[in-house]
């Protein structure tokens, strides 16, 4: 899944159910504290974001479209600023859902890129950026 706005995330429907999440935080004494959570992703994310979040499923919730488009990294978007994402053009269903959800969708051709596996987010490494 990918955070694409302050309160919006793309998600593959296959991880919508209850999850086991391990929260790791400093314990204030130089060590770590581990908390196991067995909840849905929406609840966990809402707590950390500080408000209710929206999960936008790859393929718009259609199981066949989700599987086909996730193969082409439909949930692996590159968020370049809150509410603006770079996506592969070939994921028509997911891109349309993102657009209808108020996201600024920047599509890039991807016939050969998506064959190599790894979406726009995988191809970025923001190790250093100049101030804009």
């Amino acid at each position: 899944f990918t955070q694409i706005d302050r309160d919006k995330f793309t998600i593959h429907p296959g991880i919508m159910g209850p999850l086991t999440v391990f929260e790791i935080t400093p314990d204030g004494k130089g060590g770590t504290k581990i908390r196991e959570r067995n909840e849905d992703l929406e609840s966990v994310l809402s707590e950390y974001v500080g408000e209710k979040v929206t999960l936008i499923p790859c393929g718009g919730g259609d199981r066949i479209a989700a599987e086909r488009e996730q193969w082409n990294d439909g949930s692996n978007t590159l968020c370049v600023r809150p509410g603006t994402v770079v996506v592969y053009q070939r994921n028509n269903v997911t891109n349309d859902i993102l657009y209808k959800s108020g996201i600024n969708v920047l599509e890039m051709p991807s016939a050969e890129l998506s064959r190599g596996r790894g979406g726009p987010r995988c191809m970025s490494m923001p190790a250093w950026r100049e101030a804009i």
Side-chain angles (χ1 to χ4, degrees):
F1 74 99
T2 305
Q3 185 172 15
I4 57 174
D5 204 343
R6 289 172 176 81
D7 63 344
K8 291 183 179 78
F9 296 79
T10 60
I11 185 170
H12 184 273
I15 64 169
M16 295 288 283
L19 302 171
T20 300
V21 176
F22 292 92
E23 172 186 273
I24 303 171
T25 56
D27 67 3
K29 302 173 189 172
T32 56
K33 180 173 63 171
I34 300 172
R35 175 182 166 205
E36 182 177 333
R37 301 179 68 163
N38 294 294
E39 303 171 52
D40 60 84
L41 186 59
E42 186 174 6
S43 298
V44 174
L45 292 173
S46 292
E47 179 179 325
Y48 287 102
V49 170
E51 62 185 273
K52 184 171 173 29
V53 299
T54 301
L55 302 180
I56 302 170
C58 176
D62 178 284
R63 184 175 163 262
I64 302 299
E67 294 300 326
R68 183 183 66 247
E69 293 198 1
Q70 186 58 30
W71 181 253
N72 295 312
D73 295 294
S75 294
N76 188 338
T77 59
L78 174 61
C79 184
V80 293
R81 70 175 163 255
T84 300
V85 296
V86 177
V87 298
Y88 284 155
Q89 186 178 44
R90 69 185 314 154
N91 294 319
N92 301 322
V93 176
T94 302
N95 296 349
D96 189 50
I97 298 294
L98 291 171
Y99 175 76
K100 288 176 179 173
S101 296
I103 301 298
N104 182 19
V105 178
L106 308 173
E107 295 182 335
M108 66 184 233
S110 63
E112 294 301 319
L113 287 173
S114 57
R115 287 185 185 140
R117 309 281 53 96
R121 187 182 69 212
C122 289
M123 294 188 301
S124 68
M125 185 179 161
W128 178 76
R129 291 185 182 175
E130 290 185 35
I132 296 178

